[in-house]
Amino acid sequence: MAIELNVNGRSYSVDTDPGTSLLTVLRDHLGLTGSKYGCGEGECGACTVLINGNSRRSCITPVGHVHRQKVTTIEGLERAGKLHPVQQAFLDADAYQCAYCTAGMIVTTVALLDSNPHPTDAQIAEFLGGNICRCGTYPRILAAVRLAERALAQGGAR
Amino acid sequence: MNEKETVREEETRANETLAPERYELFAPPAYHFDLERRNFLKVMGGGVGVFLLVRNPAVLGQGRESGQRRFGRPALPENVGAWLHIAPGGAVTVYTGKVEIGQNIRTSLAQQVAEELRVRLDSITMVMGDTALVPFDMGTFGSMTTPVMGPQLRRIASAARDTLLELAAARWKTAKGPLVAEEGMVRDPASGRRVAYGVLAEGQTLAKTVVAADPPLISPEKWTVAGKPVKKIGATPFVTGRHLYPSDIVRLDMVYGKVLRPPAYGATLASLDASAAKALAGVVVVQDADFVGVVAPKPEIAEKALAALKATWNPAPAQPSSKDLFDYLRKNAAPENAQEEDRFAHTVGSVETGLAAARQTFAQTYTVAYIAHAPLEPRAAVAEWQEGKLTVWTGTQRPFGVRDQLVETFHLPADSVHVLMPDMGSGYGGKHTGECAIEAARLAKGAGKPVKLIWTREEEFTWAYFRPAGVIDVRAGLGADGKLVAWEMINYNSGPSAVNTPYDIPNQTTGFHPTKYPLRQGSYRALAATANHFARESAMSELAHMAGADQLDFRLKHLSDARLKTVFESAAKRFSWPGKKSEPGQGFGIGGGIEKGGRVATCAEVSVNPKDGSVRVRRVVVAFECGAIVNPDGLNDQVAGAQMMGLGGALFEAIEFADGKILNPRFSQYRVPRFSDLPRIEVVLVNRADRPPAGAGETPICGLAPAVANAIFDATGIRLRSMPLAPHGVKQA
Ligand code: FES
Ligand code: FES
């Protein structure tokens, strides 16, 4: 069955079962490998994407559910070759070790700061609570979220 | 360093590199084919090459067998440990067999080269973990990169700088002595003229060799590039999603694989009906003895094909479960390893005499559960055959080890297998073996196409290997003066590293018993040292309590190792030890020790919820000294990251198993540290620029678990002696 998707502003038609996970479609049908597989059960956040602006676990999202909806992945955050302020903040804060969790962390942070531009530490911990960083880089990730918060507040938002 | 300390450090290193890899074989190659270094360089386009010759690869853990022709490229000369190339035009490329797994050695090694060679950091390219391009390396583990590969690269870079100075002197017909190398150029202070390295390298085919300990190194006290905080180099692709991890590699015509797993360890295939799977479009079923797998054009079809396989299995043999694990280990100390046991036994004086004279005696047992590395990127491999040659992209800490496994499995000549290791989603000691690469290669052979195989999280939890579980018995005696007169600590199964005590005790015996063990086990971030530190440092606080002494004072009273004393005092100072309790359920603990040449001390503050017994680690202060610091930024991350990872093993991580099955093979069932567990972490780095740098990926994890156990006792009066300490909270009376 053909499923129509809008990913990072481009339209795609994908021939697969509607039960196939969005993550598989992104990675293995569309070649967008920035979203990562870490668990396949919605527990690690490595596969996080935005669906109509909300952060969702693509590994447990059947692609049939996002038919004709707007999906944004880590690859879709840049504009005109410029990093999204959250990406820039992770770069500036050096907020990774192996960086396998980074795409999910960044996408989740984009959603967080979009819905709550000035979160408390507890709110950050809660919102990012579903994202595992096995390298334990949480302190720097927290610093990156704070940097991004400032950048967005100073007009980095789009 | 005094002699005793030197011996201890050497022992530690020997134990750590050998013990955890007991089941892996490192055999020397059968052949060496010589190829002249100059010819080699010619093929590389000329320039200046400096090769580090390693005389005794077994000791250094690298440098073996580089003398084969590989994949159309000329072979490297033999016994090269690492090498550096300055191309005409000035590009600097460093070739090392070490791999980047998130510990950021790509950055810290480049810093050291930049320092010695006097070039900008961004002019250096590090080629790592590609078996066709880099010299042989045993693997990236055991905290060996910084102490071994770091100095090697510094020597190479220093020799290269010297060669460039010579070239400039010859060019200007002047003496080399006064010339200065800086910023990728040689300058003549007398005339002010300058020439770039890239110009000097033009028209040259100059191959130089150095041996370990050859040219002088810039003392860390004078470092300007190394020793400074530097962010991960080349990091942009990691925030844009463009970096290709092993699981992201795509090849033309590639298909996707799945492997049929037995329902339990040791269950064998009785029968297979693959007809339904084969009927699916594009599916190939590959069976080779007990190995069964499927490939399909897309992963979702491969999953369907796997589910369509109808297999029956012979029942798995009876095997121990996590419930009787510790009994099992103690009862199965393997007598056939008696010799190995002796090697790790250490005795001073007589424990029995000491105990007989003691005023108070102490005997306790500590246990450590099996835990999983659970790197966020599970094992992944893409395998491709072309004209009998095999190329595999895979995540591993031992690309050459995986290559050797492939060579052996498929009966190929070594030069027919090429392993590439793109910077991966970490390993923590858990990706030393090549099973996923082998499976992908077998599937690719059967499919006649490149195959990608990514293990599911469940497979990673089940079919990888674990940090060994252990049982540790401690006996001790306190004299009338409140000082230890006897100490005995015996470790079953989890390993000998750091089993010796750093404390001054007149009568002591420490030792390690290998045992039979129920699960596949192997390396982990400071695997044995974590267990041994947990037992020893918990016992030290228990003994302090018995003696009516403060946990810190009691330790200092028994310490003559000045470096360890320093980190204890530094951590205590920052923590404001002994701390002041301001609310119920609050407690403070300390722990520390020596491992892999480093010194660590950790102070922890916990709060135990009086209602439900849940434990929160609120604050961790960790002081760490590993000699001269190469990259304070990277080091800080390693140290802080180790606390975060250590929290999991300390408080709640444990593999549960029964009847050959892992009972909690998912992140929803196996809890790992998350944001909500993040304590305030303060890292105190003690820089000893006068000492050679030691590795830092492992040691900092050692003090955390005992510090937390001691803090829980301080908070509740309840002594927990099993790691994980409180997977379901502390049960209070
Ligand atoms: S892969 Fe989707 S949450 Fe882990
Ligand atoms: S940086 Fe390795 S998992 Fe987060």
Side-chain angles (χ1 to χ4, degrees), chain A residues 95-102 132-137 141, chain B residues 376 425-426 428:
Chain A
Y96 28 66
Q97 292 183 50
C98 78
Y100 193 77
C101 66
T102 303
I132 293 172
C133 175
R134 189 58 169 151
C135 297
T137 324
I141 295 170
Chain B
L376 201 56
S426 210
Y428 323 108

Side-chain angles (χ1 to χ4, degrees), chain A residues 134, chain B residues 265 319-326 329 367-375 457-470 518-522 524 648-672 722-725 727-728:
Chain A
R134 189 58 169 151
Chain B
Y265 298 129
Q319 38 201 307
S321 73
S322 34
K323 283 204 194 70
D324 19 82
L325 171 63
F326 301 123
L329 292 178
T367 60
V368 177
Y370 275 111
I371 66 174
H373 309 81
R457 178 55 57 192
E458 284 192 55
E459 287 177 301
E460 177 68 35
F461 264 118
T462 309
W463 300 100
Y465 53 88
F466 303 97
R467 183 187 79 182
L519 296 182
R520 195 167 171 232
Q521 58 185 37
Y524 183 92
L651 283 176
F652 38 71
E653 285 183 42
I655 285 290
E656 290 158 28
F657 58 98
D659 305 321
K661 292 186 178 72
I662 301 299
L663 304 177
N664 54 346
R666 300 158 160 255
F667 280 137
S668 54
Q669 298 161 329
Y670 181 100
R671 184 174 162 207
V672 298
S722 280
M723 275 174 75
L725 296 164
H728 311 291

